[in-house]
Amino acid sequence: MFAATPEETSGWTLQDTDGFLEYQLRHGRTGVRTEVVDAGFIAPPSHVAEALRVPEGTDVFALKRVRYLDGEIALFSTNWFPRQIGDVVAGATDVLDGSGSLNSTLRQAGHTLNSAQRVIHALSAPPEVAENLKVADDQAVLRIRSRSWDQNDVLFDYYETWVLTDVVPLEVKVAAAN
């Protein structure tokens, strides 16, 4: 038997309120790059309208990004926002060119993450995901779907992130309830 100090975190802790970029920077990793693949108002797929609690056919803002860590593709994300939040993101040129923090932009607009619900599945990569992650269509990838509420209990963000866990392991911290 032996005792060891826990390893320094090397992944992304899902219960953290920071996004991927902020989490990596907070832990001293500066090799994060964001490529915006697409951004604009769209009629959302039904699962998005349901998750955001907007009527079918109501335009939402979609932001699709590929994130790199130390030169390697790490994840592909799509965030969807209701119209009012989407207007804020649509006006954030630094977010749209991949140089700015989406979470900072949302916080500045008054939407600080207070709670989130995240669901993780291992699935075969759909064609758009496989193309952006540069993997085979049948490769298993972890998908995280998350809905975020702000301090006023306003649902302001729904995202779907596909993570290559060989590049960015997902971490979950466990603590006893008091």
Side-chain angles (χ1 to χ4, degrees):
M1 225 185 267
F2 66 93
T5 304
E7 290 182 26
E8 176 65 28
T9 182
S10 63
W12 177 21
T13 301
L14 290 183
Q15 71 270 27
D16 198 283
T17 58
D18 284 339
F20 174 74
L21 173 64
E22 290 83 9
Y23 189 85
Q24 297 304 316
L25 293 175
R26 193 177 70 210
H27 286 88
R29 290 184 284 284
T30 57
V32 179
R33 182 172 67 85
T34 301
E35 176 186 329
V36 175
V37 175
D38 195 16
F41 285 96
I42 62 164
S46 58
H47 77 92
V48 173
E50 182 180 322
L52 287 175
R53 299 180 182 147
V54 299
E56 290 274 339
T58 301
D59 281 354
V60 300
F61 191 82
L63 176 64
K64 295 182 180 187
R65 301 173 293 171
V66 175
R67 308 302 284 274
Y68 296 79
L69 185 58
D70 298 327
E72 290 187 75
I73 293 174
L75 51 96
F76 174 67
S77 293
T78 304
N79 291 72
W80 293 276
F81 308 96
R83 167 63 73 169
Q84 183 178 4
I85 309 323
D87 287 339
V88 170
V89 178
T93 55
D94 61 338
V95 171
L96 299 181
D97 71 15
S99 67
S101 164
L102 174 60
N103 284 342
S104 290
T105 297
L106 294 171
R107 280 191 297 271
Q108 289 170 3
H111 300 285
T112 301
L113 179 65
N114 185 59
S115 64
Q117 174 196 30
R118 296 186 173 141
V119 178
I120 304 168
H121 282 107
L123 302 168
S124 295
E128 179 184 30
V129 172
E131 179 182 334
N132 281 288
L133 291 178
K134 311 276 190 261
V135 299
D137 286 357
D138 60 351
Q139 180 172 330
V141 181
L142 282 187
R143 180 191 71 191
I144 305 165
R145 283 188 171 168
S146 178
R147 294 189 305 163
S148 301
W149 290 267
D150 68 15
Q151 67 283 3
N152 298 314
D153 207 28
V154 172
L155 176 60
F156 68 95
D157 181 19
Y158 173 61
Y159 73 73
E160 184 174 271
T161 296
W162 298 81
V163 182
L164 296 176
T165 57
D166 57 329
V167 177
V168 180
L170 298 180
E171 298 181 13
V172 177
K173 293 185 179 175
V174 178
N178 292 332

